[in-house]
C-alpha cells in the first residue's frame, strides 16, 4: 500500500478486529479454518467436493461465498456436509470478496462445536479476497493451468498470502501452450518455496495429496489462549 | 443494489460524473471506446493481439489495466500500437477494477486525436469492473469455456452489462466436461439475445467475426453533442 487512504485503512482495521473475534470463536470450538480462493472457474468447488467425499471421517463444514445464487452450496449440501451460504449481493451491486463481518454473520448458522474443519470458499477473484483476513488458520489458492504462466506476477498479493497452491486442470496440459516450469519459476519469485501440488479434479490425479494436506491442516494444534 | 450504502453511492455518483467527462473527451476526438473485461486468464490480451495484428488500418490505441506490472502492455506495444498502462496497485493494496478516474488519468498519455478506436483492457475480475462505467461506448466480455457453464448465473451483472460476449478457448471443448448448450441457455437467461461468438485465440477459429465486430464498433456514429 503505497499511498494509504484513510477510509480504506478504517475498513481494514475494522476487518482485522472482526477477524480476531472470529478466530477466538474458532479456537474456542477447536475448529481449524481454511480460506479457499481462486479466479472464477479455477475449480474450487470441484476440488472441495473431491476432498469432502472421503476425508477420513473428519467432521467438516463449509461456508460458501458467492455474489449471487446457491449453486455451489447445493453441490456441497448434496454430500451431507453442513453448509451455509453468504451472498455478497446485498451491498453495492455485489461485493467481490468475503470480509470478516460477512463470515461472522454466517458462522453461527453452522454447528461449530461439532466441526473440526471449516472450509470457507471465497468469491472467485484474485485481488480483494487476498486483502481481507476472515479469521482463517491457513489460506489455500487454486490456480488453473488454463489461466497462463504470468498470473503470480500479475496478482502477487494473492499468491504470496497463500500457504498452499493447488495447480489444477493439469489434465489439459497436453492441449495448452502452458509452460509449467515458467509458472513455477514465477510462483517462486513471488512466494519462494510455497508448498504446492499438481492436481486434476477431473481425472483425480494428485487429489490424495490434497486430502492429506487437508487432514494435516485439520489436526494443527490449537494455539494457547 | 438492494440496500444502498451512502458511501458507496457517493463513489458511484462520482464515477458517473467522471465517466461522462471521459465520454465527452472521446466524442470530441471521435474515438470509439471498448471496455474489455473477463476473469483472470480468460484470454483478453491474446484476443486483443490477434485483432490488432490485422485491423484494416483502423487507428487503435490500448489502455492496459492491471493490479501490477506491465506484461500485457509490453505485448501490445510490440505490435506498434500506442498503449498506456494503469496500475491499480497505488491504492488499498491493489484495486480490482478500473474506474472512470483511473481512465481519465491515463487517456491524455494517448494520442486521442489520432485514434479511431480505444480498447480498455480492464483488470481480470467478473465482479467490480461491471459496476464502474469508464466512458465506454460498448462493453465486451471474454468468457472461457474452461470456467464452467454456470458463470452467467453466478456473475449476472457482468454478463448482463456487456454488449458482446466472446466465448473463448473452444479448441479445448473436446477435453472438457463443458456443456455449451447449457452455458448458452444460462447466458440467455441473464442477457437474452446478447450477441456472442465462439472463438479460439489459439487456433484462430472465429477471430474473423471478432475483427468484423470491432470494425463495426469503430465506425459507430458519434452521438450528437
Amino acid at each position: 500500500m503505497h499511498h494509504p487512504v484513510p477510509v480504506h485503512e478504517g475498513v481494514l482495521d475494522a476487518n482485522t478486529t472482526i477477524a480476531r473475534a472470529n478466530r477466538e470463536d474458532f479456537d474456542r470450538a477447536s475448529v481449524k479454518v481454511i480460506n479457499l480462493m481462486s479466479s472464477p472457474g479455477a475449480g474450487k468447488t470441484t476440488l472441495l467436493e473431491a476432498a469432502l467425499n472421503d476425508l477420513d471421517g473428519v467432521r467438516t463444514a463449509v461456508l460458501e461465498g458467492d455474489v449471487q445464487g446457491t449453486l455451489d452450496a447445493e453441490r456441497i449440501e448434496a454430500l451431507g456436509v453442513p453448509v451455509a451460504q453468504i451472498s455478497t449481493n446485498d451491498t453495492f451491486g455485489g461485493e467481490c470478496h468475503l470480509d470478516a463481518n460477512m463470515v461472522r454473520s454466517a458462522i453461527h448458522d453452522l454447528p461449530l462445536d461439532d466441526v473440526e474443519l471449516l472450509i470457507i470458499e471465497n468469491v472467485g477473484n484474485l485481488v480483494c479476497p487476498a486483502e481481507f483476513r476472515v479469521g482463517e488458520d491457513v489460506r489455500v489458492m487454486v490456480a488453473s493451468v488454463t489461466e497462463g504462466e504470468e498470473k503470480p506476477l500479475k496478482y502477487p498479493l494473492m499468491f504470496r498470502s497463500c500457504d498452499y497452491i493447488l495447480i489444477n486442470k493439469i489434465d489439459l496440459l497436453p492441449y495448452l501452450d502452458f509452460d509449467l516450469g515458467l509458472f513455477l519459476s514465477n510462483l517462486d519469485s513471488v512466494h519462494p518455496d510455497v508448498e504446492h501440488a499438481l492436481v486434476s479434479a477431473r481425472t483425480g490425479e494428485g487429489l490424495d495429496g490434497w486430502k492429506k494436506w487437508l487432514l494435516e491442516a485439520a489436526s494443527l494444534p490449537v494455539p494457547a489462549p
Side-chain angles (χ1 to χ4, degrees), chain A:
Chain A
M1 198 183 297
H2 300 131
H3 303 290
V5 177
V7 61
H8 284 149
E9 293 244 299
V11 168
L12 286 179
D13 281 352
N15 190 71
T16 304
T17 301
I18 301 171
R20 201 171 298 130
N22 290 348
R23 183 68 261 156
E24 285 164 9
D25 285 359
F26 297 143
D27 284 346
R28 241 190 315 271
S30 297
V31 180
K32 296 298 158 215
V33 181
I34 290 171
N35 186 352
L36 181 62
M37 303 185 281
S38 80
S39 296
K44 291 185 297 304
T45 313
T46 310
L47 286 167
L48 202 45
E49 286 176 312
L52 295 178
N53 247 326
D54 173 24
L55 205 56
D56 278 3
V58 171
R59 286 168 291 136
T60 308
V62 173
L63 262 187
E64 280 292 342
D66 286 293
V67 177
Q68 187 160 326
T70 55
L71 289 168
D72 292 347
E74 289 161 24
R75 288 167 62 183
I76 299 301
E77 195 171 33
L79 302 172
V81 172
V83 57
Q85 176 77 51
I86 300 172
S87 167
T88 73
N89 203 28
D90 281 348
T91 55
F92 196 27
E95 289 286 352
C96 63
H97 59 277
L98 294 179
D99 65 26
N101 199 43
M102 296 180 206
V103 168
R104 188 147 197 82
S105 70
I107 49 180
H108 299 296
D109 293 341
L110 292 170
L112 278 197
D113 287 334
D114 296 331
V115 163
E116 295 163 276
L117 181 66
L118 171 64
I119 303 176
I120 300 173
E121 185 177 343
N122 218 309
V123 178
N125 178 359
L126 293 186
V127 189
C128 302
E131 297 168 357
F132 288 83
R133 295 242 155 220
V134 295
E136 67 270 45
D137 291 273
V138 284
R139 294 179 147 199
V140 176
M141 181 195 172
V142 182
S144 164
V145 294
T146 57
E147 295 167 9
E149 301 91 349
E150 80 289 7
K151 289 297 166 293
L153 306 180
K154 293 185 75 172
Y155 303 91
L157 181 64
M158 175 60 77
F159 283 86
R160 195 173 288 138
S161 79
C162 284
D163 305 286
Y164 186 54
I165 317 275
L166 290 162
I167 303 166
N168 193 22
K169 308 196 188 182
I170 58 165
D171 56 293
L172 295 176
L173 284 175
Y175 316 111
L176 301 172
D177 303 316
F178 179 83
D179 182 338
L180 181 61
L182 178 56
F183 175 86
L184 292 174
S185 149
N186 289 339
L187 176 60
D188 196 59
S189 74
V190 301
H191 193 164
D193 299 324
V194 62
E195 200 176 348
H196 62 269
L198 301 175
V199 298
S200 165
R202 189 162 183 256
T203 66
E205 194 172 343
L207 295 186
D208 284 347
W210 159 227
K211 287 181 198 174
K212 185 159 168 282
W213 189 92
L214 271 178
L215 290 172
E216 282 167 11
S219 61
L220 287 171
V222 178

